Amino acid sequence: MRGINVMAEVDVPGHAESWGAGYPDLWPSPSCKEPLDVSKNYTFDVISGILADMRKIFPFELFHLGGDEVNTTCWTTTPHVKQWLQDHNMTAKDAYQYFVLKAQEIAISHNWTPVNWEETFNNFPSKLNPRTVVHNWLVGDVCAKAVASGFRCIWSNQGYWYLDHLDVPWEEVYYAEPLEGIKSISEQNLVLGGEVCMWGETADASDVQQTIWPRAAAAAERLWSDKETTSSRNTTSTALQRLEYFRCLLTRRGVPAAPVTNFYARRPPLGPGSCYEQ
């Protein structure tokens, strides 16, 4: 109804320790629980089954497979996985690549275009499926490198668009540049857009809305506006007025959006006054 597509994410092989609560054979061992066990076909059977079920729920063409922050220590220290690596003449990095590419094959078999976090591109760019969408989060020049290699990219630089970084002011969110270092129009067109990320380690129902809003709105205007319109620092006063108005609109609608100019996001106002001036 609202023209919104939902891109689901199933992060593998890291950030998946919880899977073993229901499927303990997915753990390398009961004492070493992630990444998922690369040595078992069963691991990929489970992934395929989960993706088959999720395909019925999420019709959007993009599906996020994660692939970030993979610590392979469990693979090199668990005896049966270590033996599997030796039998297949693989290093832990080779196994990481093997896992990511196999997960991509599964996603593509379910008619999805795979999205992966930038570590996959940083480690084995020439091996990724050409349809891969690279999701930037660590450093600012990854999208430029990815599109130069023919990949599409999503920009989420953690220095600006990670909303759990509470000390990033609205101005830095607003003036962040997803197309930085990308000069040609054809390569700029490979940047699909951006995503602000709200990670949940320090958020729950008591504070998540005021952590997201209104800074997410600054990124939204940045993304849907003409680059020249929003890139000039001369727009600060007018942009601030719009954000303050939008924050008031949210609060009137029952969304507990934090004051726009707080030094730390999600803190209450410093004193009394109109929501247009907080």
Side-chain angles (χ1 to χ4, degrees):
M1 289 173 59
R2 293 173 173 80
I4 296 169
N5 290 309
V6 178
M7 177 178 68
E9 177 177 359
V10 170
D11 197 346
V12 291
H15 294 301
E17 178 181 332
S18 63
W19 291 36
Y23 300 91
D25 285 343
L26 294 175
W27 289 333
S29 75
S31 61
C32 211
K33 299 179 178 180
E34 68 173 346
L36 298 176
D37 194 330
V38 67
S39 71
K40 296 176 182 175
N41 290 330
Y42 173 71
T43 301
F44 300 100
D45 291 340
V46 172
I47 293 173
S48 183
I50 290 174
L51 265 58
D53 286 344
M54 295 187 73
R55 196 67 176 103
K56 302 169 187 175
I57 305 170
F58 297 100
F60 188 43
E61 67 167 305
L62 301 181
F63 189 87
H64 208 308
L65 292 167
D68 62 315
E69 297 184 316
V70 178
N71 182 340
T72 58
T73 301
C74 277
W75 289 349
T76 56
T77 58
T78 303
H80 77 270
V81 182
K82 183 178 180 180
Q83 185 62 52
W84 182 87
L85 292 174
Q86 293 174 353
D87 292 345
H88 291 78
N89 197 28
M90 285 188 186
T91 64
K93 183 177 179 179
D94 294 333
Y96 170 43
Q97 174 185 305
Y98 169 83
F99 200 117
V100 168
L101 298 185
K102 200 165 180 65
Q104 285 196 335
E105 290 174 3
I106 293 170
I108 291 169
S109 74
H110 292 294
N111 200 29
W112 263 317
T113 296
V115 182
N116 282 102
W117 290 108
E118 70 173 69
E119 287 97 322
T120 60
F121 174 78
N122 294 339
N123 280 283
F124 39 89
S126 64
K127 302 298 184 180
L128 291 173
N129 187 285
R131 295 168 57 183
T132 302
V133 177
V134 177
H135 195 168
N136 153 252
W137 73 279
L138 282 170
V139 292
D141 63 348
V142 167
C143 274
K145 293 177 180 177
V147 299
S149 299
F151 293 104
R152 291 177 292 171
C153 193
I154 297 170
W155 198 85
S156 294
N157 190 308
Q158 64 172 337
Y160 305 101
W161 284 3
Y162 267 35
L163 297 178
D164 55 318
H165 292 197
L166 303 180
D167 59 347
V168 178
W170 76 268
E171 299 98 323
E172 293 189 21
V173 176
Y174 190 77
Y175 291 113
E177 179 46 75
L179 299 180
E180 183 178 358
I182 306 173
K183 302 302 182 184
S184 78
I185 298 299
S186 61
E187 290 184 355
Q188 289 180 0
N189 290 337
L190 293 175
V191 180
L192 299 184
E195 174 184 287
V196 292
C197 300
M198 179 62 248
W199 300 112
E201 290 91 342
T202 62
D204 62 12
S206 71
D207 61 6
V208 66
Q209 292 288 0
Q210 51 267 59
T211 311
I212 295 172
W213 303 110
R215 289 184 302 160
E221 180 171 300
R222 180 70 187 81
L223 284 165
W224 68 51
S225 302
D226 179 79
K227 177 182 176 182
E228 282 67 33
T229 301
T230 52
S231 61
S232 171
R233 296 276 171 173
N234 295 328
T235 64
T236 297
S237 60
T238 56
L240 179 57
Q241 290 174 10
R242 288 193 297 278
L243 279 172
E244 289 176 331
Y245 173 83
F246 183 65
R247 185 252 170 167
C248 288
L249 182 64
L250 287 173
T251 58
R252 290 203 299 268
R253 292 180 175 179
V255 179
V260 178
T261 57
N262 276 4
F263 181 76
Y264 286 104
R266 77 183 179 211
R267 287 191 175 178
L270 297 177
S274 166
C275 67
Y276 292 104
E277 298 175 351
Q278 293 176 338

